[in-house]
Amino acid sequence: MKTKLLLPLVLFAAAILSMAFQTDTKPWVVPDKNVKMVNPVKTSPASVSAGKALYIKNCIDCHGKTGIGNGKKAPDLKSTPADMTKPAFQSQTDGALFYKISEGRNDMPRGKKDYPDESDRWNLVNYVRTFGAGK
Ligand code: HEC
């Protein structure tokens, strides 16, 4: 009787453990309506420099000066900040980036709370676009 119970118990524990350790690697799914959201703040030197000021103050410690994810806090994080210069990052829509900056996940803070003004978050989107190749 006891051994019969052991197997499901071990499987259950393994499932819980793998969930706990996989939060970092699971793809970050953005709801379709957010992916399709149009950026209402057209990119401009003013928007990019407003985004840059926020980035230097609030993002650089984890994401690094050039967006590659090598900020001074990065080694202490349990999750990994993505390399923002890469196509995997830059190919996302403005709406998807806005959603991730707004909602946060794991070590990534919830921007919605820290920057309640949506235009701040769109300025951040416009700034992180400058990390893409050729800009
Ligand atoms: C405390 C460290 C930390 C700070 C501060 C931080 N981030 Fe992050 N960020 C992360 C981590 C870690 C991830 C990856 C989270 C995950 O995948 O679960 C992330 C993910 C992201 C993503 C999604 C990347 C992808 O994979 O598509 C964006 C966009 C982003 N951050 C932008 C910002 C911006 C803009 C700021 C400043 C307003 C900021 N982050 C501040 C740690 C941080």
Side-chain angles (χ1 to χ4, degrees), residues 60-135:
I60 209 164
D61 282 355
C62 296
H63 288 278
K65 187 164 184 264
T66 57
I68 63 171
N70 64 345
K72 63 173 190 269
K73 277 193 193 159
D76 303 328
L77 302 174
K78 285 194 212 76
S79 45
T80 314
D83 184 340
M84 296 186 183
T85 66
K86 290 270 160 32
F89 178 85
Q90 292 291 338
S91 64
Q92 300 181 67
T93 64
D94 282 1
L97 298 181
F98 180 81
Y99 174 86
K100 290 180 174 181
I101 293 171
S102 302
E103 301 300 325
R105 186 176 85 158
N106 297 322
D107 292 301
M108 171 65 195
R110 199 171 159 81
K112 227 178 189 168
K113 203 181 79 212
D114 299 332
Y115 330 100
D117 186 344
E118 289 195 0
S119 62
D120 284 342
R121 283 176 270 139
W122 288 114
N123 288 337
L124 281 163
V125 169
N126 289 337
Y127 179 63
V128 299
R129 284 289 179 217
T130 66
F131 295 138
K135 280 192 190 161

Side-chain angles (χ1 to χ4, degrees), residues 16-105:
I16 295 287
L17 277 174
S18 70
M19 263 154 66
F21 288 109
Q22 270 177 10
T23 47
D24 190 19
T25 49
K26 258 196 275 173
W28 192 345
V29 180
V30 177
D32 211 37
K33 73 172 202 303
N34 298 83
V35 170
K36 290 190 180 129
M37 198 182 249
V38 175
N39 185 343
V41 181
K42 205 170 169 313
T43 189
S44 68
S47 167
V48 167
S49 77
K52 183 177 183 178
L54 281 169
Y55 184 89
I56 290 172
K57 217 167 147 227
N58 305 292
C59 322
I60 209 164
D61 282 355
C62 296
H63 288 278
K65 187 164 184 264
T66 57
I68 63 171
N70 64 345
K72 63 173 190 269
K73 277 193 193 159
D76 303 328
L77 302 174
K78 285 194 212 76
S79 45
T80 314
D83 184 340
M84 296 186 183
T85 66
K86 290 270 160 32
F89 178 85
Q90 292 291 338
S91 64
Q92 300 181 67
T93 64
D94 282 1
L97 298 181
F98 180 81
Y99 174 86
K100 290 180 174 181
I101 293 171
S102 302
E103 301 300 325
R105 186 176 85 158

